[in-house]
Every structure is written in structure tokens, then in C-alpha cells.
Amino acid sequence: MAEDELAAFREHWRQELTSEKEKHDIVQPGSAGDFRLKDSKKRYFEENDDHAKVKEDIKPEYEDQPGYVSIASSLLDGRTSPLLDRIEEERVKRKKQSESLTGTASTSSSLQQHQVLHKKDKSQLVDQLIQDLNEVNDIPFFDIDLPYELALKIFQYLNCIELSRCAQVSRAWRVLAEDGVLWFRLCTRAGFHGDASVSDSPCWKSTLRDCRTSAKTVCSNWKNRVGSISQLQFELGKVLCDVNSCENFVFAGYTSGDIRLWDTLHWDSGTSYLKPNSLSANTEPRPHVGLVQVNRTVAAAAYQDGCVDVWSTETGGQPIHHYQGSEGIRTLALSPDAPILGSSSGMDIRLDRPDDCGYWRTVCRAHLSKTVESLVVLPGKEQPGPVAVAAAGDSVYLLDQTEDPHALHCVYGHPVTCLDASQTQVAFGVRRSGWAMHDGGNKIHVYNLETRKAEVCLGSSVGDFTCINLRDSPPHLVVCGNKDRRVRVFDLRARASVVSLYAHHLGVTAVQTDEWKIVSGGGEGLVCVWDLRMGAKLWEMHNRHPVRHICFRGSRLVTANIPDDKAPRGACITDDDLTAHRRHRGVICHYDFSEEALSQDHVLPICRSDYMESTGYNYNIGLTVPYDRLSGSQPPL
């Protein structure tokens, strides 16, 4: 506190102290009754058997006093350890003075002396309070009155900056502010080490600092396209049919009937080679793999002959579950956090999951009035209730284990073009056709799964919505792609478009977003990364075939370019060999933008052009110039 502020503080208190009117009632000896003292800790006079008894009804110090005096008196009332000795010494002194006064004649002088001393003490109250507060090193609120566990519960509502400020108050507050439980919660709340426990790290404060530093580096590498790229190719001369990924697993199926599972964190894992069921393995020619799905625990694949196989991502090898459909499997869906598999064949839907003993059982069967076009298994649904969402023609249904399908949305003549769902909401695109074209074009509808009612209707696009991502989007945001070549991000609270980007001239085929970036893929084969806040393109990569799959998490990005033609000719138009050429097979790209990938070997190949290649073309002509390769040469004029 500054010197002028301290002087003004003292003067303000002294003015209130001098304006106070003190009132004390004197009790004469031999009165009818004894008055009980209200506060035993503030007793200044006690009974004396050898002398005349003088009793005084002393009011508590907190009554009829200004606010500042009450605060100061409460602080001086034995709550801080450095003041206890002073208060006890003052009490002994006053007791001796009261005992030395005898007789009725001395009562008046004693009371007058007491009033003078009391007034003198209050006049010095401000100076004594300031001096004592400067000497106090401990915080009484947490050191004496409040238990450590309760103080820890109060501190858990603070963020990193507030905890760092509290650590500078005192030693006791520093111990509280640096508690490992608090920093562990902050670390998991920020999205780091979600599956960890408190005992996994000796110092969660340092762990959180390292994680945030790493996240900043990863964000910078994303923006500047610094990282490693690898192509997950299955060199058997067959065409890529479908790709799906979840966290570190990448799952792919081929026209040869082969299945391949990659673990991008453990490249030497033995689960990369999965065997089909015996029926498909002994069939010649083997049926193509139509659809694949994967999550943390299981992977599933559907063949063109209607067979469905399920493998464990931990053990691999032979399938742990297999069933045969009546006809070809049209849709295949897998819950992202539970082993719940959904599939549709024509107008029939089937949901399978393992029981407590590990045996797979069919928990739901449904028959709809139209062919099922899309199917999504809801995440986090272990209790009875809606398990999956299906789109058939112009209707959207909720599938439950205990009741018949419930029609969530149904408008005649408005077919559903794309579908996605989170744990609490479902979003789908609706095509406007015929007489409905005048009402604003194609729309995005969002329904609440708990109330089963529409929440918002968004968009007014001329083209059809081709892809939508609600599950992986930030809260209150949904991203979608359209045939009109644009990527749109909608805010569900404002019911408006946040950003609209002209992205791909052959339409958007896949899209995903997070808090600051958008990754989109188009039918022309481009993968584009956009800055969500600026609405600007950061960089792009190109491959030959349409982008059918995009999935990123943290520093990793997986993209898949899948050809539309699954039976191309050979290397030459006159060649009878039906083995597909490399350019017809499709490609899976795995990007890693982690902070360790900073060496020259991990720079993307597109950034390492030496200007000596006879074919190809350089995207980053600003990185180097031709004469940099010749030492001592001068730039041409």
C-alpha cells in the first residue's frame, strides 16, 4: 500500500473512532440480580471476595461499532497466532489494575480510567492492525479454520492462471495451488491424457506445461505443413474399396478380398494381417470387400456376397463373429466407443453386440418401408434407449432394442442425402425437389435425441448436401459439404453459417473440423486444410481419385483416395492382364505433424523439390531458388 493511501486509510478510521458514542452501564453493589456477561473472552473485571464487588454489564465489542472497528476487532480477537501473546498480556495488565482498586469511592475513578484506556486502545487500533498484518506470515482462512480437503475443493474451480497467482500469496497457498490432483484435472479437462490416473505422473503441472507446448508446436506444424507423410499401400495389384480409421487404427478392404489393419503407433504390430472367414477364403474368385468399420476394440468388414466378419483389434487373426445376410450389405456402422455393430440389407436392419460372456447376439431387428440409405450407431449408449439412427428415403428412424422403429422425421418428397449423429443430437441433409424448390433450397435439420423434437433448421443451398460431420465437430457446431462446391460450418446456437468456403470444383466428398481448422476432400482428389477463423486456405495435397475418407486427431491425419472404377484394365488398353496399374489402385495417406518430425527426412516430399526433376511440378517455388544449389554463383540478371 502506498504511503499516501496508508495515511488516508488511518485518517478515515480515526474519524469513525472519534465519532463513536460509547455507552457503559455501571452495576451498583447489592443489586437485585446478577447480570450474565455476554462474552467471557472480553471480561475486563472479575469478582473479588476480599473487596467490594463491582459488576459491570460490558457489551460485546462488536455491538454498536462502525464496520471497520468490527473487522479490526474480529481480526485481533485471537484468530492469528502472533496476536495471542499481546492480547493475553493486555488482559493480565487490566486484571491487575482492576484488583488494585477497592471500595465504592474508587469505583468511579476506575471506570473513568477504563474508559480512557479503552478510548486510547481504539485510537491505536488502526496502527496496531496494520503492524500485525505485516507480521502475519500465515493465512488464517486456510491454515486454522478451513480443512485442507475443503480448501482443495475450492481451488478446483480455478484455472491455470488463477492457481499460479494463488501460489504467490503464501507458502500455505502455494502447497494448495500446486497439488497434483488439481493439475491432473486441468490436464484431463484440456484434452490431454484422458485415460490416465493421478499416480501416472510425478508432477502434473509440468506434464500440462509440456502438453500445451507440444500442442502449440503441432498447431504451428499444421499451419506450415511441417511433418512426415507415408502411404499405406497394399501391393497386391488390387483396387482399394473402402477405408475407415479410429484414433491410431486404419482399416482397409480391397477387391482381392483381403483385409488390412494398420496400427500407426506400433508399426510392427502383428494385428496387421487379418484372416477372412473360411467360407470367403475358400471361394474362387473371392468376393470384394464392400464396407469396413473400425473402433478401439473391434473391426468389421462386409463382403459383396452378404457376409460380415468381425475381428478384435487386440488379437487379430480369425474373426470373432460372423454372419451371412440375405442379400448384399448396403450400409455398415460401428459405435465409436462400444462393440455395437449395425448393418442393413435392403429394407432390413440388424444390430449385434456381445453379451457379458463375450458371445455376440442380435439385439435388434427392424424392417422399414423403404431401402435403407444411411445408418449410424449412436455413441455412448449402454443403457436402454435409442441405439442407432437410420435414413430410408424421405424418413429418419430411431432404432431401439425394446420397441419398434420410431419415425423421427418424415416429409414426403424430401429425401435424406446425408446423416450423422452425436450422443445427444442427430443432423441430416434434406433435398428439396419439385414443388418445394421455392421454400429456400436444401436444408440441414438437427433433432434432439432426448426430446425427439426438431431443434434447428439450417441452410438454403441450391445443391445437395453430400457429407455432414456432427460427431467430431466442436460443441454447437456442425460442418457439411455440398455439391455446389462449398464447405459450410453452422453455429447451432446462432442458427447461422459461421463460414462458407469455395473448396472443390467437383463437389465436397468428405469434411471434418475442430476449434481452429477445417479439412475437406473433393471429387477431384484435393485435400485442403483451412483456417476456420480467417476463412483462408493453408495448404492442399492432390491425388488422382476422389477423397472418400478424412479423419484427424491431434497431430495425425488420415486421408483415403478411393477409385470409383473397381475393375480397371491393365497397364495398357491392349493388355489382357487385369492386374490394376498403380494409378488405378487408390492410396491411403498418413500425415504426422508431431514436434519430433522436424528433420529433413520428415519434410513432406512436395517441399523437397530440387528443380532437377523432368516431370512433376513444384507447389512451393518460394522455398528455394535454382542458383542456391550452385555455390558461389550469382543470380541471373
Side-chain angles (χ1 to χ4, degrees):
M1 185 180 291
E3 190 66 26
D4 53 348
E5 295 180 357
L6 190 59
F9 181 74
R10 288 195 182 100
E11 183 64 26
H12 181 69
W13 277 45
R14 287 193 181 96
Q15 289 177 3
E16 289 200 7
L17 290 173
T18 55
S19 63
E20 181 192 9
K21 296 181 180 180
E22 302 176 354
K23 297 181 180 180
H24 297 279
D25 297 333
I26 303 175
V27 180
Q28 299 296 333
S31 58
D34 294 338
F35 290 62
R36 180 175 297 177
L37 297 178
K38 296 183 179 180
D39 193 350
S40 60
K41 297 174 65 176
K42 305 299 182 293
R43 183 181 300 169
Y44 297 106
F45 301 95
E46 296 182 355
E47 296 180 357
N48 194 337
D49 297 338
D50 300 333
H51 305 283
K53 294 179 172 50
V54 179
K55 296 183 180 181
E56 180 181 359
D57 186 10
I58 303 176
K59 296 184 179 180
E61 295 185 23
Y62 308 142
E63 291 186 3
D64 301 330
Q65 290 182 349
Y68 292 109
V69 178
S70 300
I71 296 174
S73 300
S74 63
L75 290 175
L76 295 175
D77 190 18
R79 292 183 177 271
T80 55
S81 53
L83 305 177
L84 294 177
D85 297 337
R86 294 193 183 98
I87 295 174
E88 186 65 25
E89 182 180 353
E90 189 67 21
R91 287 177 179 174
V92 173
K93 184 187 299 184
R94 291 172 178 174
K95 182 179 179 181
K96 290 181 180 180
Q97 291 177 358
S98 63
E99 291 178 351
S100 62
L101 301 177
T102 57
T104 307
S106 62
T107 301
S108 178
S109 61
S110 175
L111 290 175
Q112 293 178 359
Q113 183 180 3
H114 169 68
Q115 292 177 359
V116 172
L117 292 175
H118 191 63
K119 185 175 182 179
K120 182 179 179 181
D121 291 341
K122 288 190 174 182
S123 65
Q124 298 177 355
L125 186 60
V126 180
D127 296 333
Q128 183 180 358
L129 174 63
I130 296 175
Q131 181 180 358
D132 291 338
L133 289 178
N134 290 334
E135 294 177 359
V136 172
N137 294 324
D138 299 330
I139 302 300
F141 181 65
F142 288 128
D143 293 349
I144 298 177
D145 293 342
L146 201 62
Y148 183 84
E149 292 78 8
L150 188 56
L152 201 64
K153 285 187 174 294
I154 297 176
F155 271 51
Q156 73 180 358
Y157 296 100
L158 305 180
N159 55 28
C160 299
I161 299 177
E162 293 170 344
L163 284 178
S164 301
R165 290 173 179 172
C166 291
Q168 303 176 14
V169 174
S170 66
R171 295 181 180 178
W173 280 37
R174 181 177 181 181
V175 173
L176 283 168
E178 294 186 353
D179 191 275
V181 177
L182 297 177
W183 291 97
F184 167 73
R185 292 176 178 174
L186 289 175
C187 194
T188 55
R189 194 183 305 167
F192 306 113
H193 305 288
D195 299 332
S197 60
V198 182
S199 59
D200 290 344
S201 176
C203 181
W204 281 104
K205 182 178 181 180
S206 302
T207 303
L208 179 60
R209 180 175 59 247
D210 296 341
C211 290
R212 290 202 168 184
T213 303
S214 175
K216 290 181 180 179
T217 305
V218 169
C219 180
S220 177
N221 292 345
W222 265 96
K223 294 181 178 181
N224 298 309
R225 196 170 56 180
V226 176
S228 62
I229 180 174
S230 56
Q231 294 184 355
L232 310 183
Q233 295 181 351
F234 192 58
E235 298 293 346
L236 289 181
K238 297 301 179 180
V239 179
L240 184 65
C241 293
D242 194 20
V243 176
N244 190 255
S245 62
C246 178
E247 295 185 357
N248 55 300
F249 292 110
V250 181
F251 194 42
Y254 295 84
T255 55
S256 60
D258 294 314
I259 299 293
R260 186 67 184 264
L261 177 67
W262 290 274
D263 188 350
T264 57
L265 291 181
H266 310 88
W267 291 101
D268 56 347
S269 176
T271 62
S272 297
Y273 301 96
L274 302 181
K275 299 178 181 179
N277 61 83
S278 57
L279 181 61
S280 299
N282 297 329
T283 303
E284 289 294 339
R286 293 173 59 185
H288 296 181
V289 178
L291 301 168
V292 296
Q293 290 287 314
V294 66
N295 62 10
R296 298 180 181 177
T297 57
V298 295
Y303 298 86
Q304 284 188 342
D305 59 352
C307 294
V308 177
D309 289 341
V310 181
W311 296 267
S312 172
T313 57
E314 297 180 359
T315 60
Q318 296 292 337
I320 60 176
H321 180 53
H322 165 78
Y323 64 87
Q324 177 70 47
S326 58
E327 51 183 293
I329 303 298
R330 189 175 183 87
T331 62
L332 189 70
L334 193 64
S335 175
D337 53 3
I340 304 177
L341 177 64
S343 60
S344 68
S345 178
M347 295 180 290
D348 297 323
I349 299 177
R350 171 176 176 171
L351 296 177
D352 292 48
R353 66 175 303 172
D355 56 16
D356 297 336
C357 299
Y359 296 100
W360 283 76
R361 300 284 186 267
T362 301
V363 296
C364 178
R365 287 182 180 270
H367 181 80
L368 304 182
S369 59
K370 296 182 180 180
T371 302
V372 180
E373 302 291 341
S374 303
L375 180 65
V376 176
V377 179
L378 301 178
K381 289 294 182 182
E382 295 294 338
Q383 67 277 4
V387 180
V389 182
D394 51 15
S395 303
V396 177
Y397 297 91
L398 285 181
L399 303 180
D400 198 341
Q401 302 180 20
T402 59
E403 60 183 14
D404 295 334
H406 172 75
L408 185 68
H409 173 86
C410 182
V411 178
Y412 178 75
H414 300 165
V416 178
T417 58
C418 55
L419 175 69
D420 194 23
S422 64
Q423 188 171 353
T424 58
Q425 293 175 318
V426 57
F428 50 90
V430 175
R431 179 194 305 162
R432 303 292 184 179
S433 58
W435 55 269
M437 286 299 293
H438 66 277
D439 62 353
N442 300 294
K443 301 288 186 179
I444 293 289
H445 292 271
V446 180
Y447 278 74
N448 189 296
L449 292 176
E450 296 181 358
T451 61
R452 300 187 179 185
K453 295 181 179 179
E455 286 189 342
V456 62
C457 181
L458 305 168
S460 57
S461 173
V462 177
D464 298 341
F465 287 100
T466 56
C467 55
I468 186 171
N469 194 321
L470 176 65
R471 178 183 301 174
D472 303 319
S473 300
H476 309 295
L477 293 182
V478 59
V479 59
C480 55
N482 199 286
K483 283 186 177 180
D484 64 358
R485 311 171 186 178
R486 287 191 173 273
V487 174
R488 294 177 175 87
V489 179
F490 294 98
D491 190 336
L492 302 181
R493 295 167 298 182
R495 302 190 176 189
S497 174
V498 177
V499 63
S500 178
L501 306 171
Y502 184 86
H504 306 276
H505 65 274
L506 292 183
V508 185
T509 55
V511 68
Q512 185 179 345
T513 185
D514 62 3
E515 289 80 5
W516 69 270
K517 65 178 177 292
I518 305 171
V519 182
S520 63
E524 75 285 350
L526 276 177
V527 174
C528 302
V529 180
W530 310 79
D531 191 304
L532 177 60
R533 298 180 180 88
M534 301 297 295
K537 184 186 293 185
L538 299 176
W539 51 271
E540 63 182 25
M541 294 293 289
H542 180 265
N543 281 290
R544 183 180 298 271
H545 304 287
V547 181
R548 299 298 181 186
H549 176 74
I550 286 178
C551 181
F552 66 84
R553 183 187 178 113
S555 63
R556 301 176 185 273
L557 169 65
V558 177
T559 64
N561 296 75
I562 301 175
D564 293 328
D565 187 5
K566 299 299 190 296
R569 298 287 298 178
C572 177
I573 193 172
T574 60
D575 193 354
D576 293 332
D577 183 12
L578 298 181
T579 300
H581 191 267
R582 182 186 295 270
R583 65 174 178 265
H584 299 305
R585 299 174 187 171
V587 62
I588 306 173
C589 294
H590 176 265
Y591 302 83
D592 187 3
F593 300 96
S594 60
E595 67 277 10
E596 291 84 3
L598 297 178
S599 63
Q600 180 67 20
D601 295 337
H602 287 126
V603 178
L604 297 179
I606 198 173
C607 302
R608 296 201 304 264
S609 176
D610 55 3
Y611 287 86
M612 302 298 292
E613 300 175 358
S614 57
T615 59
Y617 119 122
N618 189 336
Y619 288 82
N620 296 320
I621 59 176
L623 294 179
T624 58
V625 290
Y627 53 82
D628 288 342
R629 299 179 55 86
L630 304 175
S631 58
S633 61
Q634 299 295 327
L637 297 178

